């Protein structure tokens, strides 16, 4: 038992901050009240414990790594910790209560931009997640086995519509369908064979398919090798308060843009 205690001591030794994910009030009070304890950052859906340092968690993130990454990126962005800080994160893994403590060196940690993706957009975080899920699935399976590209612009739909034009008849005209609905996901995959972008409202309503985006691209800089679809995605995310999520037909990766910058890059095969 004592060597296990040593292991635990090593994990929490000299950390610059403690991140508590959805802690109970009593856990929070104990850790905050700990004499000489490092600063405590609470990461949860709501600040029910009244923490001074708080990062709002828009979704549970089933994968603990994703949850921890989101919390740390939020903590850095909100300037609770410096980049390069070493932090201890206490979170749930198997149980509904905190059962796990991990040590993270944020200097060796690859920033994904996932925090800004969810916070810089006007769209509901659950809508962003639903779109990400469709795009990941599309990336995994392709369209009838063939690689397919797609572009989804999420949030601030009125402005996005003003900065785009129609390429074809809009199959979603006058319909009131939302992303996340299984039938709609099938439709989105079917329509992604054709050119242009999908436009989705803050609340997840599918406003249009087949939009040709014409945002102002001035000063937008994207990684070399990406083409016009990605340029349009980055630019519309800067020219409006939308975020955009792209599936590349050529390299199969999913990328998200917020504020004109690439915020997330992932391989659908890893999901
Ligand atoms: N401004 C735009 N608005 C909407 N869709 C666009 C726009 N520009 C390009 N696209 C779509 O992107 C498709 C691919 O274009 P392109 O190959 O230049 O992009 P890309 O960034 O290299 O993407 P991919 O990695 O999928 O090839 C086009 O056929 C078109 O459907
Ligand atoms: Mn291309």
């Amino acid at each position: 038992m004592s060597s296990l205690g040593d292991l635990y001591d090593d994990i929490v030794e000299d950390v610059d901050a403690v991140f508590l994910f959805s802690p109970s009030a009593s856990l929070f009070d104990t850790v905050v009240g700990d004499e000489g304890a490092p600063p405590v950052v609470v990461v949860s859906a709501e600040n029910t414990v009244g923490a001074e340092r708080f990062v709002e968690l828009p979704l549970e993130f089933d994968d603990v790594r994703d949850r921890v990454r989101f919390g740390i990126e939020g903590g850095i962005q909100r300037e609770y910790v410096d980049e390069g800080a070493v932090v201890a994160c206490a979170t749930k893994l198997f149980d509904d209560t905190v059962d796990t403590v991990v040590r993270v060196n944020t200097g060796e940690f690859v920033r994904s931009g996932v925090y800004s993706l969810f916070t810089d957009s006007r769209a509901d975080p659950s809508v962003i997640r639903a779109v990400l899920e469709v795009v990941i699935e599309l990336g995994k399976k392709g369209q009838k086995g063939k690689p397919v590209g797609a572009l989804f612009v999420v949030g601030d739909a009125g402005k996005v519509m003003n900065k785009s034009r129609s390429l074809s008849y809009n199959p979603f005209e006058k319909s009131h369908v939302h992303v996340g609905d299984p039938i709609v996901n099938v439709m989105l995959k079917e329509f992604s064979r054709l050119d242009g972008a999908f436009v989705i409202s803050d609340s997840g309503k599918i406003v249009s398919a087949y939009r040709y985006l014409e945002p102002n691209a001035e000063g937008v800089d994207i990684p070399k090798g990406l083409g016009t679809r990605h340029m349009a995605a980055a630019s519309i995310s800067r020219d409006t308060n939308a975020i955009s999520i792209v599936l590349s037909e050529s390299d199969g990766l999913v990328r998200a843009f917020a504020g004109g910058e690439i915020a997330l890059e992932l391989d659908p095969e890893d999901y």
Side-chain angles (χ1 to χ4, degrees), residues 111-113 223 226 251 253-256 262-267 271:
R111 294 274 287 278
S112 69
L226 298 177
D251 67 15
L253 298 183
V254 171
R255 295 180 181 84
I262 188 158
L264 180 66
E265 181 176 282
L266 56 87
D267 186 342
Y271 282 76

Side-chain angles (χ1 to χ4, degrees), residues 123-143:
D124 200 88
S126 64
V127 172
I128 298 175
R129 177 157 100 158
V131 174
L132 267 174
E133 280 171 0
V134 177
V135 174
I136 286 168
E137 214 181 303
L138 199 57
K140 264 196 222 167
K141 295 199 186 128
Q143 182 59 247

Side-chain angles (χ1 to χ4, degrees), residues 151 195-197 211-213 226-230 232 247-250:
L151 166 51
D195 274 350
R211 295 298 288 190
Y212 181 72
L213 306 173
L226 298 177
T228 59
R229 193 195 319 263
H230 294 84
L247 171 64
S248 167
E249 188 175 346
S250 37

Side-chain angles (χ1 to χ4, degrees), residues 98-244:
V98 170
D99 58 3
T100 304
V101 179
V102 291
R103 181 183 181 93
V104 184
N105 182 344
T106 69
E108 288 166 15
F109 165 96
V110 182
R111 294 274 287 278
S112 69
V114 66
Y115 180 76
S116 53
L117 180 67
F118 283 98
T119 54
D120 291 351
S121 170
R122 298 201 329 188
D124 200 88
S126 64
V127 172
I128 298 175
R129 177 157 100 158
V131 174
L132 267 174
E133 280 171 0
V134 177
V135 174
I136 286 168
E137 214 181 303
L138 199 57
K140 264 196 222 167
K141 295 199 186 128
Q143 182 59 247
K144 304 198 166 76
K146 280 206 207 121
V148 66
L151 166 51
F152 290 80
V153 186
V154 188
D156 207 6
K159 206 162 174 195
V160 172
M161 290 301 278
N162 284 335
K163 289 179 184 286
S164 61
R165 68 170 79 177
S166 177
L167 289 170
S168 178
Y169 157 76
N170 175 18
F172 294 98
E173 173 129 49
K174 297 197 176 90
S175 73
H176 289 275
V177 291
H178 287 73
V179 277
D181 176 345
I183 294 287
V184 172
N185 288 355
V186 172
M187 290 166 79
L188 291 176
K189 284 180 212 162
E190 189 59 34
F191 296 133
S192 64
R193 267 186 309 156
L194 291 143
D195 274 350
F198 291 99
V199 176
I200 304 199
S201 79
D202 294 345
S203 63
K205 181 181 178 301
I206 299 158
V207 177
S208 186
Y210 309 139
R211 295 298 288 190
Y212 181 72
L213 306 173
E214 299 180 304
N216 179 4
E218 213 181 295
V220 175
D221 199 17
I222 59 167
K224 294 273 171 294
L226 298 177
T228 59
R229 193 195 319 263
H230 294 84
M231 184 50 111
S235 304
I236 198 79
S237 79
R238 199 171 103 141
D239 210 4
T240 68
N241 288 313
I243 59 122
S244 37

Side-chain angles (χ1 to χ4, degrees), residues 61-79:
F61 292 103
D62 293 342
D63 187 326
V64 169
R65 279 170 304 185
D66 291 342
R67 195 187 310 144
V68 163
R69 189 179 297 282
F70 183 92
I72 291 175
E73 291 189 15
I76 291 172
Q77 191 137 328
R78 299 184 68 88
E79 300 183 347

